[in-house]
Amino acid sequence: LESIGKKPVVLTKEIDGFIAARLQAALYRECLHLVESGVADCEAIDGAVYNGFGRRLNQIGPFLQADFAGVDLVQRTHAAFFPQLGAYQRDVRADKLVA
């Protein structure tokens, strides 16, 4: 992996899927929630990810970013957002598109 610019991650516990794939799924689930709730359309959400934090997260991870932003600020922000996050168990958008 390192010969192609990738670094392996050592897990301390076995899980289904890869860490990166699971993180992408969590992000996608919240994007889906925003679309299904009528907050924004797919194009706007793609733009927010690409232009908002997309260029930042390939340089530092979310925990390091939280440290830089200030854990107290992150704590207050997450306390407000977490109860509002989507909890979909299925990809309803894909279900509609595949049906």
Side-chain angles (χ1 to χ4, degrees), residues 23-46 49 84-97:
L23 292 171
Q24 285 178 301
L27 173 62
Y28 182 88
R29 183 176 61 191
E30 182 57 21
C31 294
L32 175 65
H33 175 67
L34 295 171
V35 168
E36 292 293 317
S37 298
V39 172
D41 62 20
C42 295
E43 184 179 352
I45 291 170
D46 282 347
V49 170
Q84 302 172 36
L85 296 177
Y88 288 90
Q89 299 297 310
R90 292 193 49 86
D91 183 348
V92 296
R93 179 177 178 266
D95 287 348
K96 290 176 193 172
L97 293 172

Side-chain angles (χ1 to χ4, degrees), residues 73-84:
L73 172 65
V74 172
Q75 179 193 32
R76 287 193 307 274
T77 305
H78 288 178
F81 287 159
F82 276 24
Q84 302 172 36

Side-chain angles (χ1 to χ4, degrees), residues 3-4 9-11 15 31 33 41 43 49-51 57 63 68 72 75 77-78:
S3 67
I4 60 170
V9 174
V10 178
L11 303 180
I15 57 172
C31 294
H33 175 67
D41 62 20
E43 184 179 352
V49 170
Y50 178 78
N51 295 307
L57 288 180
F63 294 114
F68 286 146
D72 56 333
Q75 179 193 32
T77 305
H78 288 178

